Amino acid sequence: MAISPDEAAHRAASDRELVAWVDEHDQLLGALPRAELRERGLIGRCTFILLFNTAGQLCVHRRTLSKALYPGYWDVAAGGMVTAGEGYADSAARELAEELGIEGVQLRFHERFYFDQPDNHLWCAVYSAVSDAPLRLQPEEVMEARFVSLEQAETESQTKPYCPDSLAALQRYKASLK
């Protein structure tokens, strides 16, 4: 499957976007273009929003092939990098609206945690929201989406490619409910 011109243009703009650059203690150091932060292996801030419907099912979506990290992977959370001058909560609301078209819902904060892999260093904030509003997918970032049980998402993650950072956010969410 080829990357559309719209996806390529969106990716280029995304790579130039200024995002929050932080240290290992989540102290703000400044702002850098997203691609530079990634290429230099520096730490950024990110949000994860677990979207549930009123039946308790979780929205999972498949990322487009143009994504810099985890292209074509399934994702259990909407979300993304916190931009320069933006707080975690504002980023979460923006990302949920951009990716899935869900706006005006209450975002419940669960916790922050540090995620560290060789190609992905993030301070993460985990949120959840509930909505039965129709999804409006951002075609440059989301190929498809559906609601499944938590058990189904976890089972699928054993055999299909799922984003490891959002799976970590899901585990943190589940632990926060105990």
Side-chain angles (χ1 to χ4, degrees):
M1 178 181 272
I3 296 172
S4 74
D6 286 344
E7 279 183 59
H10 181 78
R11 165 69 190 278
S14 177
D15 281 348
R16 291 188 304 270
E17 184 177 38
L18 292 177
V19 297
W21 168 35
V22 297
D23 66 14
E24 62 276 1
H25 304 291
D26 197 20
Q27 298 301 306
L28 189 63
L29 299 173
L32 291 171
R34 181 191 308 250
E36 182 180 345
L37 186 89
R38 194 173 50 246
E39 289 162 6
R40 292 176 54 193
L42 301 173
I43 304 168
R45 286 181 174 163
C46 186
T47 57
F48 293 98
I49 308 93
L50 303 161
L51 177 64
F52 295 90
N53 60 22
T54 55
Q57 295 175 310
L58 175 66
C59 180
V60 298
H61 67 274
R62 190 160 173 235
R63 296 161 61 90
T64 58
L65 299 175
S66 62
K67 298 295 281 182
L69 289 175
Y70 316 124
Y73 279 43
W74 286 93
D75 208 334
V76 297
M81 300 299 289
V82 175
T83 60
E86 187 177 45
Y88 282 115
D90 290 337
S91 175
R94 176 183 53 77
E95 290 286 355
L96 185 59
E98 285 177 4
E99 292 183 8
L100 301 177
I102 302 297
E103 299 179 81
V105 295
Q106 179 181 0
L107 291 174
R108 180 176 171 206
F109 173 74
H110 295 279
E111 74 168 278
R112 286 184 12 231
F113 71 98
Y114 183 63
F115 182 82
D116 190 31
Q117 280 193 334
D119 61 347
N120 195 8
H121 314 282
L122 300 169
W123 266 100
C124 310
V126 182
Y127 294 85
S128 64
V130 177
S131 177
D132 288 325
L135 300 177
R136 292 185 325 274
L137 307 181
Q138 181 181 26
E140 298 84 9
E141 293 199 27
V142 180
M143 293 183 356
E144 61 183 297
R146 59 194 165 85
F147 284 90
V148 299
S149 68
L150 278 175
E151 296 77 20
Q152 184 177 348
E154 290 177 316
T155 299
E156 283 184 3
S157 74
Q158 302 302 308
T159 59
K160 293 181 179 180
Y162 268 75
C163 298
D165 51 5
S166 68
L167 287 175
L170 177 60
Q171 294 310 312
R172 296 294 185 128
Y173 163 80
K174 288 175 56 180
S176 77
L177 300 179
K178 294 180 181 176

